[in-house]
Amino acid sequence: CTAAAAAAAAAVGADGVRVQVMINVADPAELDGLDPAICDGIGLVRTEFLFHGRSGLPDEDEQAAVYGRIIAWAGGRPVIIRTLDAGGDKPIPGLTRTGETNPFLGLRGLRLSLAHPEVFAVQLRALLRAAPAGNPRIMIPMVSVPAEMARVRELVADAAATLAARGVAHAVPPVGMMVEVPAAAVTLDLFDTDFVSIGSNDLTQYVMAAGRDEPSVAALADAGNPAVLRLVRATVEGAAAKGIPVSLCGDAGGDPALVPALLAA
């Protein structure tokens, strides 16, 4: 079996269970010349690329065009687009705070978006405008408490109402959340979410209290640690009880040594 043939074939375990294998996209240029048939969709579009290395923030038209192009590329396969996940190790001049003593525990991800609702609203409207191009889903990063998702729902409704008032074509796709914060993993039943994606990098560093960017504690930042795997299982069970899909992204998902443990969880 050639690598090309294997890439286009379904991923089926020895037990006969099919596993969806999706790709991560950090820049639309990564899709150039890539056949969508190699994957089951896009599990994570990192939208930070639109905000880095520029003098100002991207406007609604620019964002909508880029999101639409990515969604159309997938040809009807699901495309999970993460709202801006800035802060922590991903600063954006003029938007993220400087001088935080512990940026990974600071104003990052959704926390930053809610602190700048005018920026968040532009991104949400752009995502809703791009939605008719295919099968997108909106994913919210760094969710800690149910009230945050409730606020996101309100802002998505506001974005739809604004577009409707303008007479602009749009659609409201499923809205889900990342499970990176242990508090979210153990109380998933309390959240209003259409799907979840486990962010293995952050979940691991928060569970193990070992920074993922700190070489001296790299041995502790192990996604295969039983504590991490138990939270993965708890998230899967919580999602199953709600009847919603669950996926996993991050370095653990690309580590062949960890895949059996993740599937077991």
Side-chain angles (χ1 to χ4, degrees), residues 36-230:
I38 67 166
C39 64
D40 294 307
I42 301 177
L44 170 63
V45 176
R46 297 181 173 95
T47 59
E48 294 75 54
F49 71 89
L50 278 164
F51 293 79
H52 285 301
R54 55 187 301 150
S55 57
L57 300 178
D59 64 23
E60 184 180 320
D61 289 342
E62 179 184 356
Q63 292 192 53
V66 172
Y67 302 148
R69 191 159 65 247
I70 295 171
I71 293 166
W73 172 89
R77 295 170 179 82
V79 176
I80 301 175
I81 302 179
R82 185 178 66 189
T83 58
L84 182 62
D85 190 18
D89 59 343
K90 297 184 285 286
I92 293 177
L95 186 64
T96 53
R97 292 175 59 186
T98 57
E100 288 184 321
T101 56
N102 193 332
F104 279 112
L105 297 180
L107 197 66
R108 56 172 301 212
L110 176 60
R111 301 169 182 180
L112 182 69
S113 292
L114 292 179
H116 294 276
E118 72 289 351
V119 176
F120 196 28
V122 171
Q123 183 168 42
L124 291 176
R125 290 196 300 269
L127 287 166
L128 267 55
R129 284 174 54 182
N135 183 19
R137 301 167 191 175
I138 298 173
M139 183 162 67
I140 309 300
M142 197 65 183
V143 177
S144 303
V145 294
E148 292 173 328
M149 282 303 290
R151 181 58 180 150
V152 167
R153 294 285 189 187
E154 294 173 351
L155 294 174
V156 170
D158 290 346
T162 298
L163 293 172
R166 286 190 204 160
V168 176
H170 66 283
V172 179
V175 178
M177 57 183 266
M178 295 199 74
V179 172
E180 304 159 286
V181 178
V186 299
T187 60
L188 192 57
D189 59 303
L190 305 179
F191 289 82
D192 180 9
T193 181
D194 296 327
F195 65 92
V196 296
S197 181
I198 299 166
S200 64
N201 295 350
D202 273 323
L203 184 63
T204 299
Q205 78 163 345
Y206 293 138
V207 172
M208 302 307 299
R212 68 190 205 194
D213 59 343
E214 179 49 64
S216 63
V217 294
L220 283 172
D222 174 18
N225 184 280
V228 178
L229 292 175
R230 287 184 187 183

